[in-house]
Amino acid sequence: DQNSTPTHDGGTILDGDAIPHQDDCMVGQEHREGIRIDLFLAQTWPEHSRVFYQKCLSEHRVLANGEHCRRATKVWPDDHIIIFWPPEEDKTLVAEDIPLDIIMEDEQVIVLNKPPGLVVHPAQGNTTGTLVHGLLHHDEEAFEDMSDDTQRPGIVHRLDKDTSGVLVVAKNLQARASLKDAFKEHVTEKTYLAIVIGCPDEPIGLIENDIGRHPGHRLKMAVVEEHGKHAITRYRVLASAGGCSLLEIRIFTGRTHQIRVHFSHLKHPVLGDALYGGCPKDMPYPAPRQMLHAWKLVFPHPANGVMRQYMAPLPDDFQQALSALGLPAIGMRPKPVNPPVPPLANDDEANE
Protein backbone atom coordinates (compact mmCIF):
# COMPACT_ATOMS: atom_id res chain seq x y z
CA ASP A 1 0.00 0.00 0.00
CA GLN A 2 1.06 3.58 -0.67
CA ASN A 3 1.85 5.79 2.29
CA SER A 4 -0.53 8.72 2.81
CA THR A 5 -0.58 12.14 4.48
CA PRO A 6 -3.67 13.61 6.26
CA THR A 7 -5.08 16.85 4.82
CA HIS A 8 -6.87 19.84 6.36
CA ASP A 9 -10.24 18.63 5.03
CA GLY A 10 -10.05 15.18 6.57
CA GLY A 11 -8.91 13.42 3.42
CA THR A 12 -5.54 11.96 2.50
CA ILE A 13 -2.86 12.62 -0.08
CA LEU A 14 -1.12 9.60 -1.57
CA ASP A 15 2.65 9.63 -1.97
CA GLY A 16 3.50 11.19 -5.31
CA ASP A 17 0.68 13.72 -5.13
CA ALA A 18 1.39 17.39 -4.37
CA ILE A 19 1.35 18.01 -0.62
CA PRO A 20 0.12 21.48 0.44
CA HIS A 21 2.67 23.60 2.25
CA GLN A 22 2.05 23.63 5.98
CA ASP A 23 3.53 24.96 9.22
CA ASP A 24 2.94 24.07 12.83
CA CYS A 25 3.75 25.43 16.27
CA MET A 26 2.92 25.05 19.94
CA VAL A 27 1.00 27.67 21.91
CA GLY A 28 3.37 29.26 24.43
CA GLN A 29 2.99 29.68 28.18
CA GLU A 30 2.41 33.43 27.77
CA HIS A 31 -1.18 32.59 26.72
CA ARG A 32 -2.18 31.07 30.08
CA GLU A 33 -5.56 32.83 29.88
CA GLY A 34 -6.23 31.57 26.37
CA ILE A 35 -6.24 33.46 23.08
CA ARG A 36 -8.50 33.43 20.04
CA ILE A 37 -7.07 31.24 17.33
CA ASP A 38 -7.31 33.93 14.61
CA LEU A 39 -5.42 36.42 16.78
CA PHE A 40 -2.81 33.81 17.71
CA LEU A 41 -2.21 33.00 14.04
CA ALA A 42 -1.84 36.69 13.13
CA GLN A 43 0.71 37.15 15.93
CA THR A 44 2.62 33.98 15.07
CA TRP A 45 2.83 34.60 11.31
CA PRO A 46 2.40 38.41 11.00
CA GLU A 47 3.07 38.46 7.25
CA HIS A 48 -0.69 37.95 6.78
CA SER A 49 -3.68 39.81 8.23
CA ARG A 50 -6.15 38.52 10.78
CA VAL A 51 -8.79 38.51 8.02
CA PHE A 52 -6.55 36.19 5.99
CA TYR A 53 -6.42 33.70 8.87
CA GLN A 54 -10.16 33.95 9.42
CA LYS A 55 -10.60 32.89 5.80
CA CYS A 56 -8.18 29.98 6.38
CA LEU A 57 -10.29 28.94 9.38
CA SER A 58 -13.51 29.08 7.36
CA GLU A 59 -11.86 26.87 4.73
CA HIS A 60 -10.82 24.37 7.45
CA ARG A 61 -7.12 24.98 6.87
CA VAL A 62 -6.28 25.15 10.58
CA LEU A 63 -6.14 22.29 13.08
CA ALA A 64 -5.79 22.62 16.86
CA ASN A 65 -4.74 19.33 18.40
CA GLY A 66 -5.94 17.60 15.23
CA GLU A 67 -9.40 19.19 15.31
CA HIS A 68 -10.94 21.87 13.12
CA CYS A 69 -11.82 25.06 14.95
CA ARG A 70 -13.75 28.26 14.41
CA ARG A 71 -12.18 31.70 14.43
CA ALA A 72 -13.57 32.44 17.92
CA THR A 73 -12.10 29.24 19.36
CA LYS A 74 -9.59 29.83 22.15
CA VAL A 75 -6.30 27.97 22.27
CA TRP A 76 -4.16 27.32 25.34
CA PRO A 77 -0.54 26.63 26.28
CA ASP A 78 0.87 23.43 24.74
CA ASP A 79 -1.93 23.20 22.12
CA HIS A 80 -0.52 21.98 18.80
CA ILE A 81 -1.52 24.20 15.86
CA ILE A 82 -1.16 23.21 12.20
CA ILE A 83 -1.96 25.54 9.29
CA PHE A 84 -2.24 24.35 5.70
CA TRP A 85 -1.38 27.38 3.61
CA PRO A 86 -3.61 28.13 0.62
CA PRO A 87 -1.91 27.73 -2.77
CA GLU A 88 -0.07 30.85 -3.89
CA GLU A 89 -1.75 32.89 -6.57
CA ASP A 90 -0.06 33.24 -9.93
CA LYS A 91 1.55 36.69 -9.79
CA THR A 92 2.41 36.89 -13.48
CA LEU A 93 1.35 40.27 -14.83
CA VAL A 94 -0.44 40.29 -18.17
CA ALA A 95 -0.68 43.45 -20.26
CA GLU A 96 -4.19 44.91 -20.70
CA ASP A 97 -5.34 47.58 -23.12
CA ILE A 98 -6.39 50.23 -20.61
CA PRO A 99 -6.62 53.83 -21.85
CA LEU A 100 -4.01 56.11 -20.28
CA ASP A 101 -4.36 59.89 -20.06
CA ILE A 102 -0.69 60.82 -20.48
CA ILE A 103 0.32 64.36 -19.54
CA MET A 104 4.03 63.92 -20.34
CA GLU A 105 6.34 61.05 -21.23
CA ASP A 106 10.06 60.78 -21.85
CA GLU A 107 12.69 58.06 -21.46
CA GLN A 108 12.68 58.34 -17.66
CA VAL A 109 9.09 58.89 -16.52
CA ILE A 110 5.42 58.94 -17.47
CA VAL A 111 3.19 61.57 -15.87
CA LEU A 112 -0.48 60.58 -15.98
CA ASN A 113 -3.89 61.93 -15.07
CA LYS A 114 -5.41 58.94 -13.25
CA PRO A 115 -9.20 58.71 -13.60
CA PRO A 116 -11.38 57.88 -10.61
CA GLY A 117 -12.15 54.19 -10.26
CA LEU A 118 -8.76 52.97 -11.50
CA VAL A 119 -6.66 50.97 -9.01
CA VAL A 120 -2.93 51.77 -9.28
CA HIS A 121 -1.47 48.28 -8.78
CA PRO A 122 -2.68 44.71 -8.18
CA ALA A 123 -3.72 43.82 -4.65
CA GLN A 124 -6.14 41.50 -2.93
CA GLY A 125 -9.49 41.85 -4.69
CA ASN A 126 -7.99 43.77 -7.64
CA THR A 127 -5.82 41.37 -9.63
CA THR A 128 -6.67 42.72 -13.10
CA GLY A 129 -7.62 46.00 -14.71
CA THR A 130 -5.12 48.17 -12.82
CA LEU A 131 -2.91 51.02 -13.98
CA VAL A 132 0.06 48.63 -13.88
CA HIS A 133 -1.63 46.33 -16.41
CA GLY A 134 -2.23 49.34 -18.67
CA LEU A 135 1.40 50.45 -18.34
CA LEU A 136 2.58 46.99 -19.45
CA HIS A 137 0.43 47.31 -22.57
CA HIS A 138 1.70 50.83 -23.21
CA ASP A 139 5.41 49.93 -22.91
CA GLU A 140 5.84 46.24 -22.19
CA GLU A 141 9.61 46.25 -22.56
CA ALA A 142 10.24 48.99 -20.00
CA PHE A 143 7.83 47.74 -17.36
CA GLU A 144 8.55 44.04 -17.76
CA ASP A 145 12.19 44.80 -16.90
CA MET A 146 11.04 46.16 -13.51
CA SER A 147 8.46 43.45 -12.74
CA ASP A 148 8.98 41.53 -9.50
CA ASP A 149 6.95 39.81 -6.80
CA THR A 150 5.52 43.12 -5.60
CA GLN A 151 3.65 43.56 -8.91
CA ARG A 152 4.36 47.30 -8.84
CA PRO A 153 6.78 48.00 -11.72
CA GLY A 154 7.55 51.72 -11.89
CA ILE A 155 5.17 52.68 -9.09
CA VAL A 156 6.76 55.18 -6.67
CA HIS A 157 3.62 56.66 -5.09
CA ARG A 158 -0.09 55.94 -5.17
CA LEU A 159 -3.52 57.49 -5.28
CA ASP A 160 -6.57 55.77 -3.79
CA LYS A 161 -8.87 54.02 -6.25
CA ASP A 162 -11.51 56.79 -6.17
CA THR A 163 -9.05 59.69 -6.04
CA SER A 164 -8.25 61.20 -9.42
CA GLY A 165 -5.29 63.22 -10.59
CA VAL A 166 -1.63 63.52 -11.41
CA LEU A 167 0.71 60.57 -10.85
CA VAL A 168 4.33 60.02 -11.89
CA VAL A 169 5.63 56.54 -12.84
CA ALA A 170 9.27 55.56 -13.37
CA LYS A 171 10.27 53.83 -16.61
CA ASN A 172 13.55 52.29 -15.46
CA LEU A 173 15.25 51.17 -12.27
CA GLN A 174 17.44 54.28 -11.97
CA ALA A 175 14.46 56.60 -12.32
CA ARG A 176 12.51 54.54 -9.80
CA ALA A 177 15.30 54.77 -7.22
CA SER A 178 15.64 58.53 -7.77
CA LEU A 179 11.91 59.19 -7.43
CA LYS A 180 11.54 56.94 -4.40
CA ASP A 181 14.28 58.91 -2.66
CA ALA A 182 12.58 62.18 -3.59
CA PHE A 183 9.27 61.08 -2.06
CA LYS A 184 10.99 59.61 1.00
CA GLU A 185 12.97 62.81 1.64
CA HIS A 186 9.87 64.99 1.03
CA VAL A 187 11.52 66.81 -1.86
CA THR A 188 8.29 66.53 -3.84
CA GLU A 189 5.28 68.85 -3.54
CA LYS A 190 1.77 67.39 -3.70
CA THR A 191 -1.25 69.71 -3.98
CA TYR A 192 -4.86 68.52 -4.07
CA LEU A 193 -8.29 70.00 -4.59
CA ALA A 194 -11.11 68.69 -2.42
CA ILE A 195 -14.76 69.41 -1.80
CA VAL A 196 -15.55 68.96 1.89
CA ILE A 197 -18.85 69.12 3.76
CA GLY A 198 -19.31 72.37 5.67
CA CYS A 199 -16.65 75.02 6.07
CA PRO A 200 -13.56 74.86 8.31
CA ASP A 201 -13.42 77.48 11.06
CA GLU A 202 -10.15 78.92 9.77
CA PRO A 203 -9.74 79.94 6.11
CA ILE A 204 -6.10 78.79 6.22
CA GLY A 205 -5.02 76.00 8.52
CA LEU A 206 -2.42 73.40 9.43
CA ILE A 207 -3.38 69.91 10.64
CA GLU A 208 -0.59 68.06 12.43
CA ASN A 209 -0.99 64.81 14.37
CA ASP A 210 -0.37 61.05 14.13
CA ILE A 211 -2.26 58.65 11.86
CA GLY A 212 -2.50 54.91 12.44
CA ARG A 213 -4.76 51.94 11.89
CA HIS A 214 -8.29 52.46 13.24
CA PRO A 215 -8.64 50.36 16.41
CA GLY A 216 -12.02 48.91 15.43
CA HIS A 217 -12.12 48.99 11.64
CA ARG A 218 -9.29 47.35 9.72
CA LEU A 219 -10.03 49.18 6.44
CA LYS A 220 -9.85 52.62 8.05
CA MET A 221 -7.09 54.84 9.35
CA ALA A 222 -7.57 57.29 12.20
CA VAL A 223 -5.92 60.02 14.23
CA VAL A 224 -4.32 58.13 17.10
CA GLU A 225 -2.46 58.90 20.32
CA GLU A 226 -0.01 55.99 20.11
CA HIS A 227 1.71 53.85 17.48
CA GLY A 228 0.87 56.21 14.63
CA LYS A 229 2.95 58.02 12.02
CA HIS A 230 3.35 61.79 11.99
CA ALA A 231 1.18 63.51 9.36
CA ILE A 232 1.10 67.17 8.25
CA THR A 233 -1.57 68.75 6.05
CA ARG A 234 -1.96 72.42 5.12
CA TYR A 235 -5.16 73.76 3.56
CA ARG A 236 -6.70 76.93 2.18
CA VAL A 237 -10.42 77.53 1.66
CA LEU A 238 -10.96 78.72 -1.91
CA ALA A 239 -14.75 79.11 -1.73
CA SER A 240 -17.84 77.97 0.18
CA ALA A 241 -21.35 77.43 -1.19
CA GLY A 242 -24.19 74.91 -1.10
CA GLY A 243 -23.18 73.53 2.29
CA CYS A 244 -19.69 72.62 1.08
CA SER A 245 -16.26 74.15 0.63
CA LEU A 246 -13.63 73.88 -2.08
CA LEU A 247 -10.17 73.50 -0.56
CA GLU A 248 -6.65 73.63 -1.88
CA ILE A 249 -4.62 71.15 0.16
CA ARG A 250 -0.91 70.44 0.35
CA ILE A 251 0.39 67.38 2.18
CA PHE A 252 3.91 67.26 3.60
CA THR A 253 3.76 63.56 4.45
CA GLY A 254 2.26 60.66 2.54
CA ARG A 255 0.25 58.65 5.05
CA THR A 256 -2.48 56.26 3.94
CA HIS A 257 -5.78 58.16 3.47
CA GLN A 258 -4.12 61.23 5.02
CA ILE A 259 -6.40 63.95 3.61
CA ARG A 260 -9.53 61.87 4.11
CA VAL A 261 -8.62 61.10 7.73
CA HIS A 262 -7.60 64.66 8.61
CA PHE A 263 -10.76 66.32 7.35
CA SER A 264 -12.99 63.63 8.83
CA HIS A 265 -11.21 64.36 12.12
CA LEU A 266 -12.09 68.05 11.68
CA LYS A 267 -15.76 67.05 11.16
CA HIS A 268 -15.54 68.23 7.55
CA PRO A 269 -15.24 64.94 5.62
CA VAL A 270 -14.53 64.85 1.90
CA LEU A 271 -17.84 64.91 0.05
CA GLY A 272 -18.78 61.42 -1.20
CA ASP A 273 -16.26 59.60 1.01
CA ALA A 274 -18.40 56.75 2.35
CA LEU A 275 -15.59 55.31 4.49
CA TYR A 276 -14.96 58.51 6.45
CA GLY A 277 -18.42 60.03 6.88
CA GLY A 278 -18.73 61.95 3.62
CA CYS A 279 -22.11 60.44 2.65
CA PRO A 280 -24.60 61.60 5.32
CA LYS A 281 -28.36 61.30 4.76
CA ASP A 282 -28.59 65.05 4.21
CA MET A 283 -25.71 64.98 1.71
CA PRO A 284 -25.51 68.41 -0.02
CA TYR A 285 -24.86 66.75 -3.39
CA PRO A 286 -24.97 63.04 -4.38
CA ALA A 287 -21.28 62.74 -5.25
CA PRO A 288 -20.49 59.42 -6.99
CA ARG A 289 -17.15 59.07 -5.15
CA GLN A 290 -14.87 61.04 -2.83
CA MET A 291 -14.37 64.51 -4.33
CA LEU A 292 -10.59 64.51 -4.05
CA HIS A 293 -8.23 65.29 -6.92
CA ALA A 294 -4.44 65.36 -7.07
CA TRP A 295 -4.08 68.70 -8.84
CA LYS A 296 -0.35 69.48 -8.92
CA LEU A 297 2.82 67.46 -8.52
CA VAL A 298 6.34 68.86 -8.31
CA PHE A 299 9.33 66.51 -8.34
CA PRO A 300 13.01 66.53 -9.32
CA HIS A 301 13.36 64.95 -12.75
CA PRO A 302 15.52 61.80 -12.48
CA ALA A 303 17.64 62.78 -15.48
CA ASN A 304 18.98 66.07 -14.11
CA GLY A 305 17.37 66.90 -10.77
CA VAL A 306 15.55 69.94 -12.19
CA MET A 307 12.23 70.52 -10.41
CA ARG A 308 9.27 69.97 -12.72
CA GLN A 309 5.61 70.79 -12.06
CA TYR A 310 2.71 69.01 -13.73
CA MET A 311 -1.02 69.67 -13.33
CA ALA A 312 -4.00 67.42 -14.00
CA PRO A 313 -7.31 68.98 -15.10
CA LEU A 314 -10.37 68.10 -13.05
CA PRO A 315 -12.50 65.17 -14.24
CA ASP A 316 -16.11 65.71 -15.31
CA ASP A 317 -17.68 64.41 -12.09
CA PHE A 318 -15.71 66.92 -10.01
CA GLN A 319 -16.61 69.80 -12.32
CA GLN A 320 -20.28 68.75 -12.20
CA ALA A 321 -20.20 68.76 -8.40
CA LEU A 322 -18.68 72.25 -8.36
CA SER A 323 -21.35 73.52 -10.72
CA ALA A 324 -24.24 71.93 -8.81
CA LEU A 325 -23.03 73.35 -5.49
CA GLY A 326 -22.37 76.83 -6.88
CA LEU A 327 -18.64 76.59 -6.29
CA PRO A 328 -16.24 78.20 -8.79
CA ALA A 329 -15.08 76.13 -11.73
CA ILE A 330 -11.39 75.31 -11.81
CA GLY A 331 -9.58 75.12 -15.13
CA MET A 332 -12.74 75.74 -17.15
CA ARG A 333 -12.01 79.19 -18.48
CA PRO A 334 -12.88 79.57 -22.15
CA LYS A 335 -9.96 79.52 -24.52
CA PRO A 336 -8.84 83.03 -25.47
CA VAL A 337 -10.13 84.19 -28.82
CA ASN A 338 -7.80 86.28 -30.94
CA PRO A 339 -9.31 89.55 -32.20
CA PRO A 340 -10.19 89.57 -35.90
CA VAL A 341 -7.30 90.49 -38.14
CA PRO A 342 -8.13 93.26 -40.65
CA PRO A 343 -7.60 92.26 -44.27
CA LEU A 344 -4.26 93.20 -45.78
CA ALA A 345 -4.31 96.16 -48.11
CA ASN A 346 -3.85 95.24 -51.78
CA ASP A 347 -0.78 96.33 -53.67
CA ASP A 348 -2.53 99.28 -55.34
CA GLU A 349 -3.69 100.68 -52.02
CA ALA A 350 -0.25 100.16 -50.52
CA ASN A 351 1.37 102.13 -53.33
CA GLU A 352 -0.97 105.11 -53.05
Side-chain angles (χ1 to χ4, degrees), residues 73-88:
T73 298
K74 277 193 171 184
V75 292
W76 306 86
D78 298 326
D79 282 350
H80 183 215
I81 310 300
I82 302 176
I83 181 166
F84 297 85
W85 299 103
E88 291 188 7

Side-chain angles (χ1 to χ4, degrees), residues 207 209 211 231-233 258-266:
I207 311 168
N209 46 40
I211 290 178
I232 305 172
T233 301
Q258 178 171 324
I259 292 173
R260 300 163 64 190
V261 170
H262 270 169
F263 285 93
S264 176
H265 184 68
L266 288 188

Side-chain angles (χ1 to χ4, degrees), residues 289-308:
R289 50 102 181 182
Q290 64 223 27
M291 293 289 100
L292 181 60
H293 178 75
W295 189 30
K296 302 176 186 177
L297 178 63
V298 179
F299 61 88
H301 195 281
N304 50 26
V306 174
M307 299 300 289
R308 301 280 188 89

Side-chain angles (χ1 to χ4, degrees), residues 170-234:
K171 290 182 66 177
N172 56 60
L173 293 172
Q174 292 76 18
R176 184 174 69 177
S178 173
L179 288 171
K180 277 192 169 184
D181 285 345
F183 280 98
K184 182 179 179 180
E185 300 300 325
H186 307 298
V187 181
T188 60
E189 295 179 14
K190 295 172 282 186
T191 305
Y192 292 73
L193 292 175
I195 302 174
V196 302
I197 296 175
C199 183
D201 294 336
E202 301 295 332
I204 297 175
L206 181 72
I207 311 168
E208 187 170 1
N209 46 40
D210 289 352
I211 290 178
R213 186 69 60 182
H214 191 287
H217 194 313
R218 183 169 178 81
L219 295 179
K220 293 177 68 173
M221 307 300 287
V223 172
V224 295
E225 296 295 328
E226 297 180 335
H227 310 302
K229 294 182 178 180
H230 199 55
I232 305 172
T233 301
R234 187 183 297 277

Side-chain angles (χ1 to χ4, degrees), residues 38-88:
D38 56 344
L39 179 57
F40 173 77
L41 292 168
Q43 291 178 357
T44 305
W45 292 286
E47 61 267 26
H48 296 293
S49 70
R50 194 169 171 180
V51 172
F52 171 86
Y53 292 112
Q54 289 172 353
K55 187 171 186 291
C56 289
L57 287 158
S58 68
E59 294 175 351
H60 304 299
R61 294 185 175 277
V62 182
L63 301 177
N65 300 322
E67 300 289 335
H68 294 305
C69 45
R70 298 175 299 165
R71 64 186 183 184
T73 298
K74 277 193 171 184
V75 292
W76 306 86
D78 298 326
D79 282 350
H80 183 215
I81 310 300
I82 302 176
I83 181 166
F84 297 85
W85 299 103
E88 291 188 7

